Structure formats: C-alpha cells, structure tokens
Amino acid sequence: MSPPPPLGRGRKRTSQAFDAALDDAELAVARTSLNQGRWTDVRELLAATGDDWDRRGHRVTVLAQEPAALAWARDWQLVEPESPDAAVLIGCATVERALHGKERPDGAREACRRAADLAPDDPTPWLGLLLLERSLGTEDDVVRLFDEVRHRHAVHHHAHHLMVARLAERRAAAGQDPLHEVYDFANWSAEQAPADSPLAVLPVVAHAERFRVLARAGGDLADPVASGHWAGRRARQVMKAAFDWWLEWDHVDHPRRLVDLNHLAHAKVCEGRDGEAAALFLRIAEHPTAAPWSYPDRDGYQAFRAARDRVLGTV
C-alpha cells in the first residue's frame, strides 16, 4: 500500500538550512513532487539525466535523503519492476535510512546490489554502497567500493570526496603531517584527472578534512582561522593552484561545483585572502554547504554567513 502524502516536509527547511540540492532547480521540483507522491516526476528527471554520472549521483543521493523516498520508490517499482532508476533510488534511500539506524545495513547492501545488477555500467549503486561503508565498513571495503565506482566513472566527484574524508581519518595522532596519505591521494587524483576536472580542488578538500580530524582529536585549535592550519607554505601552494584552476575553468555546469566553491571560499577566508574569497562568495550566493563551514563542530550556516558578511562588507 502506498504511504499517505506527508502533511509537511520531513525536515524543516528554513532560510538557515543547508539544501543538499544546491542550485539544481529541476531536482528541487522533483523532490517536492516525490514528497507529494508524484514519483513520475522523479522518473522523468532521472531519465533525462541519462549517463551524466556525477549529476545522476547527485540527484539520486539528494532524493534518497527524503523521509518518503523509500516508500514512494517501492511504489514506483511495483509499477515498473525492471526500472534501474527505481531500484537505485530504493538502494540509496535504504542506505540513508541504515545510516540513521532505521534499516538494517545488510538490507541496504542487498538493495544497492540489486540496482547494480539492473544497470551494470551505472556507478550510482556503488556510490550508495560507498556512502554506507564510508561510515560502517572496513578500509578494505571502502577501497574496494571506490574502485568499483572509479571503474565506471574515473573522475566521480562525490566518490573522491568520500574517499578523502575516510583517508583523512587515518593516524589522527600524527598531527600536522604534510606527508599524510590523504594528501598523496588527493594530489594523485588531481594529477590523473583531465585538466578541466574539478578534482583539481581535491587537495583543498583533503586539507579541510584533515583539519576536521585534527581538531576533533584535540590536536588543532577549534577555530580554523586561528589554528594556522592554512598558513603553511604547502597549504598556500595548494590553495593557489586550486584557485588558479577555478579562474581558468570555472565549471558552471557541474552539479556539485558549489561544494568545491565552498571549500575554496573557506580556505581563502582561513588564509586571509579576502579579495579572492569575495569573488567566490559572489558565485556561491545563497548555496552554502555544511562541509567545511561546520568543521569541526560549528554552526556551519552561521560560520558561512559571518565570513561572507565580513568579506563582502555587508555586516
């Protein structure tokens, strides 16, 4: 039996809430329709997305976060049992619920594998598994699943970010180690990617993820600006290279470019480069992301607004 339409949104969305859809207006419309039981709009959205794998992964994982997603996707699957789109949404929605203790992890794994069987070339079911094991699995699990995603889409943006986040958590007690493996991985990934790939920003992401780990372990100051984490020579080189890449390429069509822009803006604020940060804030507009503004345990939205208002002179 289909669930009744929700009386309101599953989570409160206010002007001070992060929106995982970022600036994808079509996704936001389909998400609203899904919560009202109109899964046919989601079917049309995912069909139109095709094999744009970064965009497909972004859209599926955002839709999967909705409380009603699993029930409506199952309703969709009853009508279209062989639909890979319905199956991948079920898989990722089950992962989301498993991460919140509302489904069994084994059930999420099985659902994602069924989706993978229906669409062998699609990295998205493997992305769902990677999201699950990034929190629950062993390092071998994470590496294996990352390889599955990368085999299908070598420059998968979300998968690389998940891998960086997991690698950054190794050897928390090592402190400010410029030779930490997360930096090697991020630099290698950026070098292997095409010149126009947003993976060029991955070393900045690695630096932010390492700060998160160090700060929570007590090895760094909780205030990212005062910590000095972005003040070293190596950090400055990383930031400059990533900012120069953005000036040259500025991928206005990438579905997750705002994730990169927020990391760059945060880094420039921490580095004290307010002029460069201002240019990034203007591009971000009203689309902040929780990472890295919330690192290590801050009110991310307030941190974003305070930094943006100061840099743009709107305090």
CSV table of all heavy atoms in Angstrom, one decimal, residues 56-86:
chain,number,residue,atom,x,y,z
A,56,ARG,N,23.7,12.3,-12.0
A,56,ARG,CA,22.8,11.3,-11.6
A,56,ARG,C,23.1,10.9,-10.1
A,56,ARG,O,22.2,10.8,-9.3
A,56,ARG,CB,23.1,10.0,-12.5
A,56,ARG,CG,22.2,8.8,-12.1
A,56,ARG,CD,22.4,7.7,-13.1
A,56,ARG,NE,21.7,6.4,-12.7
A,56,ARG,CZ,20.4,6.1,-12.8
A,56,ARG,NH1,19.7,7.0,-13.4
A,56,ARG,NH2,19.9,5.0,-12.5
A,57,GLY,N,24.4,10.8,-9.8
A,57,GLY,CA,24.7,10.5,-8.4
A,57,GLY,C,24.2,11.6,-7.4
A,57,GLY,O,23.7,11.3,-6.4
A,58,HIS,N,24.4,12.8,-7.8
A,58,HIS,CA,23.9,14.0,-7.0
A,58,HIS,C,22.4,13.9,-6.8
A,58,HIS,O,21.9,14.0,-5.7
A,58,HIS,CB,24.4,15.3,-7.7
A,58,HIS,CG,23.8,16.5,-7.1
A,58,HIS,ND1,24.1,16.9,-5.7
A,58,HIS,CD2,23.0,17.5,-7.5
A,58,HIS,CE1,23.4,18.0,-5.5
A,58,HIS,NE2,22.8,18.4,-6.5
A,59,ARG,N,21.7,13.7,-7.9
A,59,ARG,CA,20.3,13.8,-7.8
A,59,ARG,C,19.7,12.6,-7.1
A,59,ARG,O,18.8,12.7,-6.2
A,59,ARG,CB,19.7,13.8,-9.3
A,59,ARG,CG,19.8,15.2,-9.9
A,59,ARG,CD,19.4,15.2,-11.4
A,59,ARG,NE,19.3,16.6,-11.8
A,59,ARG,CZ,18.9,17.0,-13.0
A,59,ARG,NH1,18.7,16.1,-14.0
A,59,ARG,NH2,18.8,18.3,-13.3
A,60,VAL,N,20.2,11.4,-7.3
A,60,VAL,CA,19.7,10.2,-6.6
A,60,VAL,C,20.0,10.3,-5.1
A,60,VAL,O,19.1,10.1,-4.2
A,60,VAL,CB,20.3,8.9,-7.1
A,60,VAL,CG1,20.0,7.7,-6.2
A,60,VAL,CG2,19.8,8.7,-8.5
A,61,THR,N,21.2,10.7,-4.7
A,61,THR,CA,21.5,10.8,-3.3
A,61,THR,C,20.8,11.9,-2.5
A,61,THR,O,20.4,11.7,-1.4
A,61,THR,CB,23.0,11.0,-3.0
A,61,THR,OG1,23.5,12.1,-3.8
A,61,THR,CG2,23.8,9.7,-3.5
A,62,VAL,N,20.5,13.0,-3.2
A,62,VAL,CA,19.6,14.0,-2.6
A,62,VAL,C,18.2,13.6,-2.4
A,62,VAL,O,17.6,13.7,-1.4
A,62,VAL,CB,19.7,15.3,-3.5
A,62,VAL,CG1,18.6,16.3,-3.0
A,62,VAL,CG2,21.1,16.0,-3.4
A,63,LEU,N,17.6,12.9,-3.5
A,63,LEU,CA,16.3,12.4,-3.4
A,63,LEU,C,16.2,11.3,-2.3
A,63,LEU,O,15.2,11.3,-1.5
A,63,LEU,CB,15.8,11.8,-4.7
A,63,LEU,CG,15.6,12.8,-5.8
A,63,LEU,CD1,15.5,12.1,-7.2
A,63,LEU,CD2,14.4,13.7,-5.6
A,64,ALA,N,17.3,10.6,-2.1
A,64,ALA,CA,17.3,9.5,-1.2
A,64,ALA,C,17.2,10.0,0.3
A,64,ALA,O,16.8,9.2,1.2
A,64,ALA,CB,18.5,8.6,-1.4
A,65,GLN,N,17.6,11.2,0.5
A,65,GLN,CA,17.5,11.8,1.9
A,65,GLN,C,16.1,12.1,2.4
A,65,GLN,O,15.9,12.3,3.5
A,65,GLN,CB,18.4,13.0,1.9
A,65,GLN,CG,19.9,12.8,1.7
A,65,GLN,CD,20.7,14.1,1.6
A,65,GLN,OE1,20.3,15.1,2.2
A,65,GLN,NE2,21.8,14.0,0.9
A,66,GLU,N,15.2,12.1,1.4
A,66,GLU,CA,13.8,12.5,1.8
A,66,GLU,C,13.2,11.3,2.6
A,66,GLU,O,13.3,10.2,2.2
A,66,GLU,CB,13.0,12.8,0.6
A,66,GLU,CG,13.5,14.1,-0.1
A,66,GLU,CD,13.5,15.3,0.8
A,66,GLU,OE1,12.4,15.6,1.4
A,66,GLU,OE2,14.6,15.9,0.9
A,67,PRO,N,12.5,11.6,3.7
A,67,PRO,CA,11.8,10.6,4.5
A,67,PRO,C,10.9,9.7,3.7
A,67,PRO,O,10.8,8.5,4.0
A,67,PRO,CB,11.1,11.4,5.6
A,67,PRO,CG,11.9,12.6,5.7
A,67,PRO,CD,12.3,13.0,4.3
A,68,ALA,N,10.2,10.2,2.7
A,68,ALA,CA,9.2,9.5,2.0
A,68,ALA,C,9.8,8.7,0.8
A,68,ALA,O,9.1,8.0,0.1
A,68,ALA,CB,8.1,10.4,1.5
A,69,ALA,N,11.1,8.9,0.5
A,69,ALA,CA,11.7,8.4,-0.7
A,69,ALA,C,11.6,6.9,-0.8
A,69,ALA,O,11.2,6.4,-1.9
A,69,ALA,CB,13.2,8.9,-0.8
A,70,LEU,N,11.9,6.2,0.2
A,70,LEU,CA,11.9,4.7,0.1
A,70,LEU,C,10.5,4.2,-0.2
A,70,LEU,O,10.3,3.3,-1.1
A,70,LEU,CB,12.5,4.1,1.4
A,70,LEU,CG,12.6,2.6,1.4
A,70,LEU,CD1,13.4,2.1,0.2
A,70,LEU,CD2,13.2,2.1,2.7
A,71,ALA,N,9.5,4.7,0.5
A,71,ALA,CA,8.1,4.2,0.3
A,71,ALA,C,7.6,4.5,-1.1
A,71,ALA,O,7.1,3.6,-1.8
A,71,ALA,CB,7.2,4.8,1.3
A,72,TRP,N,7.9,5.7,-1.6
A,72,TRP,CA,7.4,6.0,-2.9
A,72,TRP,C,8.2,5.3,-4.0
A,72,TRP,O,7.7,4.9,-5.1
A,72,TRP,CB,7.4,7.5,-3.1
A,72,TRP,CG,6.4,8.3,-2.4
A,72,TRP,CD1,6.5,9.2,-1.5
A,72,TRP,CD2,4.9,8.1,-2.5
A,72,TRP,NE1,5.3,9.7,-1.0
A,72,TRP,CE2,4.3,8.9,-1.6
A,72,TRP,CE3,4.1,7.2,-3.2
A,72,TRP,CZ2,2.9,9.0,-1.5
A,72,TRP,CZ3,2.8,7.2,-3.1
A,72,TRP,CH2,2.2,8.2,-2.2
A,73,ALA,N,9.5,5.1,-3.8
A,73,ALA,CA,10.3,4.4,-4.8
A,73,ALA,C,9.8,2.9,-4.9
A,73,ALA,O,9.8,2.3,-5.9
A,73,ALA,CB,11.8,4.5,-4.4
A,74,ARG,N,9.5,2.4,-3.7
A,74,ARG,CA,8.9,1.0,-3.8
A,74,ARG,C,7.6,0.9,-4.5
A,74,ARG,O,7.3,0.0,-5.2
A,74,ARG,CB,8.8,0.5,-2.4
A,74,ARG,CG,10.1,0.1,-1.7
A,74,ARG,CD,9.9,-0.3,-0.2
A,74,ARG,NE,11.1,-0.8,0.3
A,74,ARG,CZ,11.4,-0.9,1.6
A,74,ARG,NH1,10.5,-0.5,2.5
A,74,ARG,NH2,12.5,-1.5,2.1
A,75,ASP,N,6.8,2.0,-4.4
A,75,ASP,CA,5.5,2.1,-5.1
A,75,ASP,C,5.8,2.1,-6.6
A,75,ASP,O,5.1,1.5,-7.4
A,75,ASP,CB,4.8,3.3,-4.6
A,75,ASP,CG,3.3,3.3,-4.9
A,75,ASP,OD1,2.7,2.3,-4.6
A,75,ASP,OD2,2.8,4.3,-5.5
A,76,TRP,N,6.8,2.9,-7.0
A,76,TRP,CA,7.3,3.0,-8.4
A,76,TRP,C,7.7,1.7,-8.9
A,76,TRP,O,7.3,1.3,-10.0
A,76,TRP,CB,8.4,4.1,-8.4
A,76,TRP,CG,9.1,4.2,-9.7
A,76,TRP,CD1,8.8,3.7,-10.9
A,76,TRP,CD2,10.2,5.1,-9.9
A,76,TRP,NE1,9.7,4.1,-11.9
A,76,TRP,CE2,10.6,5.0,-11.3
A,76,TRP,CE3,11.0,5.8,-9.1
A,76,TRP,CZ2,11.7,5.6,-11.8
A,76,TRP,CZ3,12.1,6.5,-9.6
A,76,TRP,CH2,12.4,6.4,-11.0
A,77,GLN,N,8.5,0.9,-8.1
A,77,GLN,CA,9.0,-0.4,-8.5
A,77,GLN,C,7.9,-1.4,-8.7
A,77,GLN,O,8.0,-2.3,-9.6
A,77,GLN,CB,10.0,-0.9,-7.5
A,77,GLN,CG,10.8,-2.1,-8.0
A,77,GLN,CD,11.9,-2.5,-7.0
A,77,GLN,OE1,11.6,-2.8,-5.9
A,77,GLN,NE2,13.2,-2.4,-7.5
A,78,LEU,N,6.8,-1.3,-8.0
A,78,LEU,CA,5.7,-2.2,-8.2
A,78,LEU,C,5.1,-2.0,-9.6
A,78,LEU,O,4.6,-2.9,-10.2
A,78,LEU,CB,4.6,-1.9,-7.2
A,78,LEU,CG,4.9,-2.4,-5.7
A,78,LEU,CD1,3.8,-1.9,-4.8
A,78,LEU,CD2,5.0,-3.9,-5.7
A,79,VAL,N,5.1,-0.8,-10.1
A,79,VAL,CA,4.6,-0.5,-11.4
A,79,VAL,C,5.6,-0.8,-12.5
A,79,VAL,O,5.3,-1.3,-13.6
A,79,VAL,CB,4.2,1.0,-11.5
A,79,VAL,CG1,3.7,1.4,-12.9
A,79,VAL,CG2,3.2,1.4,-10.5
A,80,GLU,N,6.9,-0.6,-12.2
A,80,GLU,CA,8.0,-0.8,-13.2
A,80,GLU,C,9.0,-1.7,-12.5
A,80,GLU,O,10.1,-1.2,-12.1
A,80,GLU,CB,8.5,0.5,-13.7
A,80,GLU,CG,7.5,1.4,-14.4
A,80,GLU,CD,8.1,2.7,-14.9
A,80,GLU,OE1,9.3,2.9,-14.6
A,80,GLU,OE2,7.4,3.5,-15.5
A,81,PRO,N,8.8,-3.0,-12.4
A,81,PRO,CA,9.7,-3.9,-11.6
A,81,PRO,C,11.2,-3.9,-12.1
A,81,PRO,O,12.1,-4.1,-11.4
A,81,PRO,CB,9.1,-5.2,-11.7
A,81,PRO,CG,7.7,-5.0,-12.1
A,81,PRO,CD,7.7,-3.7,-12.9
A,82,GLU,N,11.4,-3.6,-13.4
A,82,GLU,CA,12.7,-3.7,-14.0
A,82,GLU,C,13.4,-2.3,-14.2
A,82,GLU,O,14.4,-2.2,-14.8
A,82,GLU,CB,12.7,-4.4,-15.4
A,82,GLU,CG,12.1,-5.8,-15.3
A,82,GLU,CD,12.9,-6.7,-14.3
A,82,GLU,OE1,14.2,-6.6,-14.4
A,82,GLU,OE2,12.3,-7.4,-13.5
A,83,SER,N,12.8,-1.3,-13.6
A,83,SER,CA,13.4,0.0,-13.7
A,83,SER,C,14.6,0.2,-12.9
A,83,SER,O,14.6,0.1,-11.7
A,83,SER,CB,12.3,1.1,-13.2
A,83,SER,OG,13.0,2.4,-13.1
A,84,PRO,N,15.8,0.4,-13.6
A,84,PRO,CA,17.0,0.7,-12.8
A,84,PRO,C,17.0,1.9,-12.0
A,84,PRO,O,17.6,2.1,-11.0
A,84,PRO,CB,18.1,0.7,-13.9
A,84,PRO,CG,17.4,1.1,-15.1
A,84,PRO,CD,16.0,0.5,-15.0
A,85,ASP,N,16.2,2.9,-12.4
A,85,ASP,CA,16.1,4.2,-11.7
A,85,ASP,C,15.3,4.0,-10.4
A,85,ASP,O,15.8,4.5,-9.4
A,85,ASP,CB,15.4,5.2,-12.6
A,85,ASP,CG,16.2,5.7,-13.8
A,85,ASP,OD1,17.4,5.4,-13.8
A,85,ASP,OD2,15.6,6.2,-14.7
A,86,ALA,N,14.2,3.2,-10.4
A,86,ALA,CA,13.5,2.9,-9.2
A,86,ALA,C,14.4,2.1,-8.2
A,86,ALA,O,14.5,2.4,-7.0
A,86,ALA,CB,12.2,2.2,-9.5
